[in-house]
Amino acid sequence: MCVGRRRRTASRIADRPPSLSRGCLSHAERRLAYDSLPLYESLVTDLLAGAGPRRGDWIDRLRAYAAGVAALMAPLAVEGEDEEDEEAVDELALERAAWDWTALLFAGGGRADGAAAADLAHWLASHEAVLVTGDTLAAEAGRLATLPAPESDPSYWPTVARAAALGATAAAVDLLGAHSAWHDALAGGAGDERVSAALAALEPVGLLLRRAPRLARAPARGARATAVSAPDAHQSLPEFMDARKAWLGAARALAANGELWGRAAAGDPATAAGSRSTLAVLCGEPAALADAACHGWPELLVARALH
């Protein structure tokens, strides 16, 4: 039966006013319903047959089902041929984000200890096109990377802080590395007061970002842990917590170094202020996290989970 549905999406079609659309399922939604039916029937059959008596077995089975449905959704999220098709594609992309979110909540990310912050960050990065308001982090970082002096752009430091807040360490480090002070220093301006002041602020924050400890995400069954996480990511939650405690102590010590920041502010006030705002994010200050992760509740959720 055809029913009325409230269309509500984010990002790319956020400018379209909400409307009540009466109609049947879209072609993509019908295909998903038919193609996913065997997966659902298999899950229910196993349930009725009493397969997998241990809770861990059932969680793995549920996680496999969720991954199977998500894999069916992926190829359907392509550009439509007209506006109506594009709306259906956008809605399906948002539905996939909701599906992955639900799977993470009810089936977990796969770690036995239940730690899920890294999986939340991965979820947001995978679906940010439909989850965030305004430009995505990837798009904004890419745009800034093309500028000769990106720090002169008003969105530069907010984007650095945003990347740090969302666990996009590589993006934050790359943006700091694109600061024109590095080029000026290599061009012979290392003795310039502004350049040396900028580097005094950039270097310790960049080093802190590169050394940030990471907790490994759980691999799929049969896959290596490094398949989904960096090789240097901690597999053990206690080891990660110990490493993070030491790292956080170093971050707070850097933030309290009044002499360094006074010298940096005297030579390059903008770089000093931007670096300190990024450092406040790394220290987990609530106000700094709220300012940095300001493109919707999913960003703030991830930022608070990570920091």
Side-chain angles (χ1 to χ4, degrees), residues 32-83:
L32 176 63
Y34 282 115
D35 289 350
S36 63
L37 182 58
L39 297 177
Y40 178 72
E41 289 177 335
S42 176
L43 182 68
V44 172
T45 298
D46 288 348
L47 175 62
L48 294 178
R54 293 181 301 175
R55 181 179 183 276
D57 293 340
W58 264 112
I59 291 296
D60 288 344
R61 182 69 181 82
L62 185 60
R63 193 175 295 121
Y65 166 71
V69 174
L72 292 175
M73 288 180 170
L76 300 178
V78 296
E79 291 294 331
E81 296 180 357
D82 53 40
E83 184 176 349

mmCIF file of all heavy atoms in Angstrom, residues 32-83:
data_model
loop_
_atom_site.group_PDB
_atom_site.id
_atom_site.type_symbol
_atom_site.label_atom_id
_atom_site.label_comp_id
_atom_site.label_asym_id
_atom_site.label_seq_id
_atom_site.Cartn_x
_atom_site.Cartn_y
_atom_site.Cartn_z
ATOM 1 N N LEU A 32 15.972 -2.929 -3.035
ATOM 2 C CA LEU A 32 16.587 -3.262 -1.754
ATOM 3 C C LEU A 32 15.704 -4.219 -0.957
ATOM 4 O O LEU A 32 16.194 -5.180 -0.342
ATOM 5 C CB LEU A 32 16.849 -1.990 -0.951
ATOM 6 C CG LEU A 32 17.409 -2.177 0.461
ATOM 7 C CD1 LEU A 32 18.784 -2.848 0.402
ATOM 8 C CD2 LEU A 32 17.505 -0.839 1.180
ATOM 9 N N ALA A 33 14.392 -3.970 -0.974
ATOM 10 C CA ALA A 33 13.470 -4.831 -0.235
ATOM 11 C C ALA A 33 13.528 -6.267 -0.753
ATOM 12 O O ALA A 33 13.580 -7.224 0.035
ATOM 13 C CB ALA A 33 12.052 -4.280 -0.345
ATOM 14 N N TYR A 34 13.531 -6.431 -2.078
ATOM 15 C CA TYR A 34 13.563 -7.774 -2.653
ATOM 16 C C TYR A 34 14.922 -8.443 -2.427
ATOM 17 O O TYR A 34 14.998 -9.621 -2.050
ATOM 18 C CB TYR A 34 13.265 -7.708 -4.153
ATOM 19 C CG TYR A 34 11.800 -7.530 -4.476
ATOM 20 C CD1 TYR A 34 11.346 -6.365 -5.105
ATOM 21 C CD2 TYR A 34 10.864 -8.504 -4.156
ATOM 22 C CE1 TYR A 34 10.010 -6.180 -5.391
ATOM 23 C CE2 TYR A 34 9.516 -8.333 -4.449
ATOM 24 C CZ TYR A 34 9.096 -7.169 -5.063
ATOM 25 O OH TYR A 34 7.771 -6.991 -5.346
ATOM 26 N N ASP A 35 16.009 -7.710 -2.655
ATOM 27 C CA ASP A 35 17.342 -8.317 -2.568
ATOM 28 C C ASP A 35 17.738 -8.665 -1.137
ATOM 29 O O ASP A 35 18.527 -9.576 -0.905
ATOM 30 C CB ASP A 35 18.390 -7.372 -3.168
ATOM 31 C CG ASP A 35 18.277 -7.257 -4.686
ATOM 32 O OD1 ASP A 35 17.509 -8.056 -5.272
ATOM 33 O OD2 ASP A 35 18.938 -6.376 -5.274
ATOM 34 N N SER A 36 17.204 -7.928 -0.175
ATOM 35 C CA SER A 36 17.571 -8.185 1.221
ATOM 36 C C SER A 36 16.701 -9.261 1.871
ATOM 37 O O SER A 36 17.014 -9.732 2.964
ATOM 38 C CB SER A 36 17.487 -6.899 2.049
ATOM 39 O OG SER A 36 16.163 -6.411 2.093
ATOM 40 N N LEU A 37 15.613 -9.628 1.195
ATOM 41 C CA LEU A 37 14.707 -10.610 1.780
ATOM 42 C C LEU A 37 15.392 -11.942 2.104
ATOM 43 O O LEU A 37 15.185 -12.487 3.195
ATOM 44 C CB LEU A 37 13.511 -10.836 0.856
ATOM 45 C CG LEU A 37 12.451 -11.818 1.356
ATOM 46 C CD1 LEU A 37 11.884 -11.371 2.695
ATOM 47 C CD2 LEU A 37 11.334 -11.980 0.323
ATOM 48 N N PRO A 38 16.227 -12.508 1.192
ATOM 49 C CA PRO A 38 16.898 -13.770 1.534
ATOM 50 C C PRO A 38 17.783 -13.658 2.777
ATOM 51 O O PRO A 38 17.882 -14.611 3.560
ATOM 52 C CB PRO A 38 17.730 -14.084 0.282
ATOM 53 C CG PRO A 38 17.025 -13.368 -0.824
ATOM 54 C CD PRO A 38 16.503 -12.117 -0.213
ATOM 55 N N LEU A 39 18.420 -12.512 2.965
ATOM 56 C CA LEU A 39 19.259 -12.328 4.147
ATOM 57 C C LEU A 39 18.394 -12.362 5.417
ATOM 58 O O LEU A 39 18.784 -12.965 6.418
ATOM 59 C CB LEU A 39 20.013 -11.000 4.061
ATOM 60 C CG LEU A 39 21.006 -10.835 2.918
ATOM 61 C CD1 LEU A 39 21.607 -9.433 2.936
ATOM 62 C CD2 LEU A 39 22.111 -11.877 3.009
ATOM 63 N N TYR A 40 17.257 -11.701 5.342
ATOM 64 C CA TYR A 40 16.362 -11.666 6.497
ATOM 65 C C TYR A 40 15.774 -13.057 6.776
ATOM 66 O O TYR A 40 15.694 -13.495 7.929
ATOM 67 C CB TYR A 40 15.237 -10.664 6.253
ATOM 68 C CG TYR A 40 14.231 -10.602 7.377
ATOM 69 C CD1 TYR A 40 14.551 -10.013 8.587
ATOM 70 C CD2 TYR A 40 12.960 -11.150 7.219
ATOM 71 C CE1 TYR A 40 13.639 -9.961 9.626
ATOM 72 C CE2 TYR A 40 12.038 -11.103 8.255
ATOM 73 C CZ TYR A 40 12.384 -10.504 9.455
ATOM 74 O OH TYR A 40 11.470 -10.471 10.480
ATOM 75 N N GLU A 41 15.383 -13.748 5.723
ATOM 76 C CA GLU A 41 14.818 -15.095 5.903
ATOM 77 C C GLU A 41 15.838 -16.029 6.534
ATOM 78 O O GLU A 41 15.504 -16.848 7.400
ATOM 79 C CB GLU A 41 14.349 -15.647 4.560
ATOM 80 C CG GLU A 41 13.107 -14.954 4.022
ATOM 81 C CD GLU A 41 12.707 -15.479 2.660
ATOM 82 O OE1 GLU A 41 13.603 -15.989 1.936
ATOM 83 O OE2 GLU A 41 11.516 -15.391 2.301
ATOM 84 N N SER A 42 17.090 -15.929 6.102
ATOM 85 C CA SER A 42 18.150 -16.766 6.665
ATOM 86 C C SER A 42 18.354 -16.467 8.144
ATOM 87 O O SER A 42 18.526 -17.374 8.965
ATOM 88 C CB SER A 42 19.453 -16.542 5.895
ATOM 89 O OG SER A 42 20.521 -17.268 6.472
ATOM 90 N N LEU A 43 18.314 -15.165 8.491
ATOM 91 C CA LEU A 43 18.479 -14.773 9.893
ATOM 92 C C LEU A 43 17.341 -15.335 10.745
ATOM 93 O O LEU A 43 17.565 -15.890 11.823
ATOM 94 C CB LEU A 43 18.523 -13.250 9.993
ATOM 95 C CG LEU A 43 18.729 -12.665 11.387
ATOM 96 C CD1 LEU A 43 20.128 -12.970 11.902
ATOM 97 C CD2 LEU A 43 18.488 -11.154 11.375
ATOM 98 N N VAL A 44 16.113 -15.193 10.263
ATOM 99 C CA VAL A 44 14.955 -15.681 11.014
ATOM 100 C C VAL A 44 14.976 -17.207 11.112
ATOM 101 O O VAL A 44 14.644 -17.781 12.163
ATOM 102 C CB VAL A 44 13.654 -15.196 10.358
ATOM 103 C CG1 VAL A 44 12.448 -15.850 11.012
ATOM 104 C CG2 VAL A 44 13.548 -13.676 10.456
ATOM 105 N N THR A 45 15.383 -17.875 10.039
ATOM 106 C CA THR A 45 15.470 -19.348 10.064
ATOM 107 C C THR A 45 16.443 -19.813 11.132
ATOM 108 O O THR A 45 16.164 -20.747 11.892
ATOM 109 C CB THR A 45 15.903 -19.877 8.688
ATOM 110 O OG1 THR A 45 14.923 -19.514 7.722
ATOM 111 C CG2 THR A 45 16.041 -21.394 8.716
ATOM 112 N N ASP A 46 17.595 -19.152 11.195
ATOM 113 C CA ASP A 46 18.585 -19.502 12.227
ATOM 114 C C ASP A 46 18.020 -19.252 13.623
ATOM 115 O O ASP A 46 18.256 -20.030 14.555
ATOM 116 C CB ASP A 46 19.857 -18.686 12.032
ATOM 117 C CG ASP A 46 20.656 -19.138 10.824
ATOM 118 O OD1 ASP A 46 20.342 -20.224 10.286
ATOM 119 O OD2 ASP A 46 21.577 -18.412 10.415
ATOM 120 N N LEU A 47 17.285 -18.158 13.772
ATOM 121 C CA LEU A 47 16.701 -17.835 15.065
ATOM 122 C C LEU A 47 15.692 -18.905 15.494
ATOM 123 O O LEU A 47 15.715 -19.407 16.618
ATOM 124 C CB LEU A 47 16.022 -16.467 15.003
ATOM 125 C CG LEU A 47 15.250 -16.029 16.252
ATOM 126 C CD1 LEU A 47 16.192 -15.915 17.443
ATOM 127 C CD2 LEU A 47 14.544 -14.701 16.010
ATOM 128 N N LEU A 48 14.809 -19.292 14.577
ATOM 129 C CA LEU A 48 13.790 -20.282 14.901
ATOM 130 C C LEU A 48 14.388 -21.666 15.126
ATOM 131 O O LEU A 48 13.855 -22.461 15.901
ATOM 132 C CB LEU A 48 12.751 -20.346 13.778
ATOM 133 C CG LEU A 48 11.907 -19.080 13.586
ATOM 134 C CD1 LEU A 48 10.960 -19.250 12.409
ATOM 135 C CD2 LEU A 48 11.128 -18.742 14.849
ATOM 136 N N ALA A 49 15.517 -21.933 14.446
ATOM 137 C CA ALA A 49 16.164 -23.229 14.595
ATOM 138 C C ALA A 49 17.019 -23.290 15.852
ATOM 139 O O ALA A 49 17.555 -24.355 16.189
ATOM 140 C CB ALA A 49 17.017 -23.539 13.373
ATOM 141 N N GLY A 50 17.189 -22.152 16.511
ATOM 142 C CA GLY A 50 17.999 -22.129 17.732
ATOM 143 C C GLY A 50 19.483 -22.200 17.465
ATOM 144 O O GLY A 50 20.253 -22.620 18.318
ATOM 145 N N ALA A 51 19.910 -21.798 16.267
ATOM 146 C CA ALA A 51 21.338 -21.845 15.953
ATOM 147 C C ALA A 51 22.078 -20.783 16.747
ATOM 148 O O ALA A 51 21.541 -19.725 17.088
ATOM 149 C CB ALA A 51 21.539 -21.601 14.452
ATOM 150 N N GLY A 52 23.353 -21.051 17.023
ATOM 151 C CA GLY A 52 24.183 -20.093 17.734
ATOM 152 C C GLY A 52 23.685 -19.817 19.124
ATOM 153 O O GLY A 52 23.223 -18.715 19.406
ATOM 154 N N PRO A 53 23.704 -20.799 20.021
ATOM 155 C CA PRO A 53 23.130 -20.605 21.356
ATOM 156 C C PRO A 53 23.854 -19.566 22.191
ATOM 157 O O PRO A 53 23.278 -18.977 23.089
ATOM 158 C CB PRO A 53 23.244 -22.004 21.982
ATOM 159 C CG PRO A 53 24.392 -22.644 21.258
ATOM 160 C CD PRO A 53 24.302 -22.127 19.852
ATOM 161 N N ARG A 54 25.121 -19.337 21.904
ATOM 162 C CA ARG A 54 25.873 -18.361 22.706
ATOM 163 C C ARG A 54 25.596 -16.956 22.216
ATOM 164 O O ARG A 54 25.464 -16.708 21.015
ATOM 165 C CB ARG A 54 27.367 -18.663 22.641
ATOM 166 C CG ARG A 54 27.768 -19.978 23.310
ATOM 167 C CD ARG A 54 29.250 -20.197 23.226
ATOM 168 N NE ARG A 54 29.695 -20.232 21.827
ATOM 169 C CZ ARG A 54 30.971 -20.314 21.464
ATOM 170 N NH1 ARG A 54 31.923 -20.354 22.366
ATOM 171 N NH2 ARG A 54 31.298 -20.353 20.188
ATOM 172 N N ARG A 55 25.544 -16.016 23.162
ATOM 173 C CA ARG A 55 25.244 -14.633 22.804
ATOM 174 C C ARG A 55 26.256 -14.076 21.810
ATOM 175 O O ARG A 55 25.900 -13.369 20.869
ATOM 176 C CB ARG A 55 25.223 -13.762 24.067
ATOM 177 C CG ARG A 55 24.886 -12.303 23.793
ATOM 178 C CD ARG A 55 24.843 -11.481 25.064
ATOM 179 N NE ARG A 55 24.459 -10.111 24.788
ATOM 180 C CZ ARG A 55 25.306 -9.166 24.395
ATOM 181 N NH1 ARG A 55 26.576 -9.458 24.223
ATOM 182 N NH2 ARG A 55 24.864 -7.930 24.160
ATOM 183 N N GLY A 56 27.530 -14.396 22.003
ATOM 184 C CA GLY A 56 28.561 -13.911 21.091
ATOM 185 C C GLY A 56 28.330 -14.366 19.664
ATOM 186 O O GLY A 56 28.539 -13.613 18.704
ATOM 187 N N ASP A 57 27.863 -15.615 19.500
ATOM 188 C CA ASP A 57 27.574 -16.123 18.171
ATOM 189 C C ASP A 57 26.437 -15.338 17.516
ATOM 190 O O ASP A 57 26.468 -15.046 16.320
ATOM 191 C CB ASP A 57 27.202 -17.605 18.240
ATOM 192 C CG ASP A 57 28.375 -18.477 18.664
ATOM 193 O OD1 ASP A 57 29.520 -18.000 18.533
ATOM 194 O OD2 ASP A 57 28.148 -19.604 19.126
ATOM 195 N N TRP A 58 25.421 -15.016 18.314
ATOM 196 C CA TRP A 58 24.290 -14.289 17.764
ATOM 197 C C TRP A 58 24.650 -12.859 17.407
ATOM 198 O O TRP A 58 24.168 -12.319 16.412
ATOM 199 C CB TRP A 58 23.115 -14.323 18.744
ATOM 200 C CG TRP A 58 22.176 -15.419 18.378
ATOM 201 C CD1 TRP A 58 21.919 -16.557 19.071
ATOM 202 C CD2 TRP A 58 21.403 -15.499 17.191
ATOM 203 N NE1 TRP A 58 21.038 -17.346 18.389
ATOM 204 C CE2 TRP A 58 20.690 -16.719 17.226
ATOM 205 C CE3 TRP A 58 21.232 -14.660 16.086
ATOM 206 C CZ2 TRP A 58 19.834 -17.122 16.220
ATOM 207 C CZ3 TRP A 58 20.374 -15.062 15.074
ATOM 208 C CH2 TRP A 58 19.683 -16.277 15.144
ATOM 209 N N ILE A 59 25.493 -12.246 18.192
ATOM 210 C CA ILE A 59 25.937 -10.887 17.866
ATOM 211 C C ILE A 59 26.696 -10.897 16.547
ATOM 212 O O ILE A 59 26.493 -10.040 15.677
ATOM 213 C CB ILE A 59 26.808 -10.314 18.996
ATOM 214 C CG1 ILE A 59 25.960 -10.046 20.234
ATOM 215 C CG2 ILE A 59 27.492 -9.018 18.551
ATOM 216 C CD1 ILE A 59 24.904 -8.986 20.050
ATOM 217 N N ASP A 60 27.578 -11.882 16.365
ATOM 218 C CA ASP A 60 28.305 -12.002 15.095
ATOM 219 C C ASP A 60 27.342 -12.231 13.934
ATOM 220 O O ASP A 60 27.515 -11.677 12.841
ATOM 221 C CB ASP A 60 29.318 -13.143 15.169
ATOM 222 C CG ASP A 60 30.506 -12.822 16.057
ATOM 223 O OD1 ASP A 60 30.703 -11.620 16.367
ATOM 224 O OD2 ASP A 60 31.247 -13.756 16.441
ATOM 225 N N ARG A 61 26.328 -13.050 14.164
ATOM 226 C CA ARG A 61 25.352 -13.343 13.101
ATOM 227 C C ARG A 61 24.562 -12.092 12.759
ATOM 228 O O ARG A 61 24.316 -11.799 11.569
ATOM 229 C CB ARG A 61 24.406 -14.450 13.607
ATOM 230 C CG ARG A 61 23.373 -14.893 12.590
ATOM 231 C CD ARG A 61 24.010 -15.641 11.436
ATOM 232 N NE ARG A 61 23.004 -16.041 10.459
ATOM 233 C CZ ARG A 61 22.525 -15.244 9.504
ATOM 234 N NH1 ARG A 61 22.962 -13.996 9.412
ATOM 235 N NH2 ARG A 61 21.630 -15.688 8.647
ATOM 236 N N LEU A 62 24.156 -11.343 13.758
ATOM 237 C CA LEU A 62 23.416 -10.112 13.521
ATOM 238 C C LEU A 62 24.287 -9.081 12.805
ATOM 239 O O LEU A 62 23.824 -8.367 11.902
ATOM 240 C CB LEU A 62 22.927 -9.548 14.860
ATOM 241 C CG LEU A 62 22.030 -8.313 14.808
ATOM 242 C CD1 LEU A 62 20.764 -8.601 14.019
ATOM 243 C CD2 LEU A 62 21.694 -7.846 16.216
ATOM 244 N N ARG A 63 25.558 -9.017 13.200
ATOM 245 C CA ARG A 63 26.475 -8.072 12.563
ATOM 246 C C ARG A 63 26.682 -8.425 11.089
ATOM 247 O O ARG A 63 26.758 -7.544 10.222
ATOM 248 C CB ARG A 63 27.808 -8.071 13.323
ATOM 249 C CG ARG A 63 28.727 -6.921 12.946
ATOM 250 C CD ARG A 63 29.970 -6.930 13.821
ATOM 251 N NE ARG A 63 29.614 -6.684 15.204
ATOM 252 C CZ ARG A 63 29.870 -7.541 16.201
ATOM 253 N NH1 ARG A 63 30.470 -8.686 15.951
ATOM 254 N NH2 ARG A 63 29.528 -7.238 17.428
ATOM 255 N N ALA A 64 26.758 -9.719 10.788
ATOM 256 C CA ALA A 64 26.918 -10.156 9.396
ATOM 257 C C ALA A 64 25.685 -9.789 8.574
ATOM 258 O O ALA A 64 25.794 -9.372 7.409
ATOM 259 C CB ALA A 64 27.172 -11.661 9.356
ATOM 260 N N TYR A 65 24.512 -9.952 9.162
ATOM 261 C CA TYR A 65 23.272 -9.577 8.468
ATOM 262 C C TYR A 65 23.254 -8.075 8.174
ATOM 263 O O TYR A 65 22.925 -7.649 7.061
ATOM 264 C CB TYR A 65 22.067 -9.963 9.329
ATOM 265 C CG TYR A 65 20.772 -9.341 8.884
ATOM 266 C CD1 TYR A 65 20.151 -9.753 7.711
ATOM 267 C CD2 TYR A 65 20.174 -8.333 9.642
ATOM 268 C CE1 TYR A 65 18.959 -9.174 7.295
ATOM 269 C CE2 TYR A 65 18.977 -7.752 9.240
ATOM 270 C CZ TYR A 65 18.375 -8.176 8.058
ATOM 271 O OH TYR A 65 17.203 -7.595 7.655
ATOM 272 N N ALA A 66 23.604 -7.276 9.167
ATOM 273 C CA ALA A 66 23.618 -5.823 8.984
ATOM 274 C C ALA A 66 24.597 -5.420 7.890
ATOM 275 O O ALA A 66 24.307 -4.547 7.058
ATOM 276 C CB ALA A 66 23.981 -5.138 10.298
ATOM 277 N N ALA A 67 25.773 -6.057 7.867
ATOM 278 C CA ALA A 67 26.769 -5.747 6.842
ATOM 279 C C ALA A 67 26.273 -6.158 5.459
ATOM 280 O O ALA A 67 26.534 -5.472 4.461
ATOM 281 C CB ALA A 67 28.085 -6.459 7.164
ATOM 282 N N GLY A 68 25.548 -7.263 5.394
ATOM 283 C CA GLY A 68 25.022 -7.717 4.115
ATOM 284 C C GLY A 68 24.012 -6.741 3.535
ATOM 285 O O GLY A 68 24.035 -6.434 2.335
ATOM 286 N N VAL A 69 23.118 -6.228 4.373
ATOM 287 C CA VAL A 69 22.132 -5.259 3.905
ATOM 288 C C VAL A 69 22.820 -3.950 3.505
ATOM 289 O O VAL A 69 22.482 -3.339 2.484
ATOM 290 C CB VAL A 69 21.070 -5.003 4.995
ATOM 291 C CG1 VAL A 69 20.120 -3.890 4.560
ATOM 292 C CG2 VAL A 69 20.295 -6.284 5.283
ATOM 293 N N ALA A 70 23.800 -3.529 4.277
ATOM 294 C CA ALA A 70 24.532 -2.302 3.945
ATOM 295 C C ALA A 70 25.228 -2.434 2.599
ATOM 296 O O ALA A 70 25.280 -1.481 1.811
ATOM 297 C CB ALA A 70 25.554 -1.989 5.040
ATOM 298 N N ALA A 71 25.770 -3.623 2.312
ATOM 299 C CA ALA A 71 26.438 -3.848 1.030
ATOM 300 C C ALA A 71 25.449 -3.758 -0.135
ATOM 301 O O ALA A 71 25.810 -3.316 -1.234
ATOM 302 C CB ALA A 71 27.120 -5.210 1.034
ATOM 303 N N LEU A 72 24.217 -4.153 0.094
ATOM 304 C CA LEU A 72 23.195 -4.033 -0.946
ATOM 305 C C LEU A 72 22.803 -2.576 -1.176
ATOM 306 O O LEU A 72 22.452 -2.176 -2.293
ATOM 307 C CB LEU A 72 21.955 -4.840 -0.557
ATOM 308 C CG LEU A 72 22.096 -6.363 -0.536
ATOM 309 C CD1 LEU A 72 20.820 -7.004 -0.006
ATOM 310 C CD2 LEU A 72 22.418 -6.905 -1.922
ATOM 311 N N MET A 73 22.857 -1.774 -0.117
ATOM 312 C CA MET A 73 22.488 -0.367 -0.245
ATOM 313 C C MET A 73 23.521 0.421 -1.045
ATOM 314 O O MET A 73 23.170 1.348 -1.789
ATOM 315 C CB MET A 73 22.353 0.273 1.138
ATOM 316 C CG MET A 73 21.139 -0.159 1.924
ATOM 317 S SD MET A 73 21.118 0.695 3.531
ATOM 318 C CE MET A 73 19.466 0.278 4.117
ATOM 319 N N ALA A 74 24.789 0.070 -0.902
ATOM 320 C CA ALA A 74 25.879 0.872 -1.459
ATOM 321 C C ALA A 74 25.736 1.150 -2.954
ATOM 322 O O ALA A 74 25.806 2.309 -3.381
ATOM 323 C CB ALA A 74 27.222 0.212 -1.143
ATOM 324 N N PRO A 75 25.572 0.132 -3.807
ATOM 325 C CA PRO A 75 25.501 0.430 -5.245
ATOM 326 C C PRO A 75 24.241 1.166 -5.671
ATOM 327 O O PRO A 75 24.174 1.697 -6.776
ATOM 328 C CB PRO A 75 25.556 -0.965 -5.885
ATOM 329 C CG PRO A 75 25.020 -1.883 -4.847
ATOM 330 C CD PRO A 75 25.489 -1.314 -3.550
ATOM 331 N N LEU A 76 23.230 1.213 -4.807
ATOM 332 C CA LEU A 76 22.000 1.913 -5.140
ATOM 333 C C LEU A 76 22.120 3.411 -4.916
ATOM 334 O O LEU A 76 21.300 4.183 -5.432
ATOM 335 C CB LEU A 76 20.838 1.359 -4.305
ATOM 336 C CG LEU A 76 20.531 -0.128 -4.497
ATOM 337 C CD1 LEU A 76 19.398 -0.549 -3.566
ATOM 338 C CD2 LEU A 76 20.167 -0.429 -5.942
ATOM 339 N N ALA A 77 23.116 3.816 -4.129
ATOM 340 C CA ALA A 77 23.299 5.238 -3.818
ATOM 341 C C ALA A 77 24.128 5.892 -4.914
ATOM 342 O O ALA A 77 25.298 6.233 -4.734
ATOM 343 C CB ALA A 77 23.982 5.410 -2.465
ATOM 344 N N VAL A 78 23.538 6.053 -6.089
ATOM 345 C CA VAL A 78 24.194 6.692 -7.229
ATOM 346 C C VAL A 78 23.336 7.857 -7.671
ATOM 347 O O VAL A 78 22.172 7.977 -7.301
ATOM 348 C CB VAL A 78 24.405 5.703 -8.392
ATOM 349 C CG1 VAL A 78 25.351 4.599 -7.982
ATOM 350 C CG2 VAL A 78 23.076 5.116 -8.845
ATOM 351 N N GLU A 79 23.907 8.707 -8.522
ATOM 352 C CA GLU A 79 23.167 9.876 -8.979
ATOM 353 C C GLU A 79 21.940 9.466 -9.796
ATOM 354 O O GLU A 79 22.019 8.591 -10.660
ATOM 355 C CB GLU A 79 24.082 10.770 -9.839
ATOM 356 C CG GLU A 79 25.185 11.452 -9.042
ATOM 357 C CD GLU A 79 24.626 12.456 -8.048
ATOM 358 O OE1 GLU A 79 23.549 13.019 -8.315
ATOM 359 O OE2 GLU A 79 25.260 12.668 -7.003
ATOM 360 N N GLY A 80 20.818 10.109 -9.517
ATOM 361 C CA GLY A 80 19.612 9.847 -10.285
ATOM 362 C C GLY A 80 19.614 10.599 -11.603
ATOM 363 O O GLY A 80 20.382 11.546 -11.805
ATOM 364 N N GLU A 81 18.741 10.185 -12.497
ATOM 365 C CA GLU A 81 18.679 10.810 -13.809
ATOM 366 C C GLU A 81 17.874 12.103 -13.791
ATOM 367 O O GLU A 81 18.025 12.944 -14.673
ATOM 368 C CB GLU A 81 18.069 9.829 -14.819
ATOM 369 C CG GLU A 81 18.924 8.581 -15.038
ATOM 370 C CD GLU A 81 18.296 7.638 -16.047
ATOM 371 O OE1 GLU A 81 17.174 7.950 -16.509
ATOM 372 O OE2 GLU A 81 18.927 6.609 -16.366
ATOM 373 N N ASP A 82 17.008 12.264 -12.835
ATOM 374 C CA ASP A 82 16.234 13.501 -12.732
ATOM 375 C C ASP A 82 16.100 13.867 -11.261
ATOM 376 O O ASP A 82 16.607 13.175 -10.381
ATOM 377 C CB ASP A 82 14.858 13.350 -13.380
ATOM 378 C CG ASP A 82 14.097 12.133 -12.847
ATOM 379 O OD1 ASP A 82 14.166 11.860 -11.626
ATOM 380 O OD2 ASP A 82 13.432 11.453 -13.652
ATOM 381 N N GLU A 83 15.396 14.972 -10.997
ATOM 382 C CA GLU A 83 15.302 15.461 -9.621
ATOM 383 C C GLU A 83 14.619 14.456 -8.703
ATOM 384 O O GLU A 83 15.023 14.264 -7.567
ATOM 385 C CB GLU A 83 14.545 16.791 -9.601
ATOM 386 C CG GLU A 83 14.480 17.424 -8.213
ATOM 387 C CD GLU A 83 13.808 18.779 -8.230
ATOM 388 O OE1 GLU A 83 13.578 19.314 -9.330
ATOM 389 O OE2 GLU A 83 13.520 19.290 -7.134
#
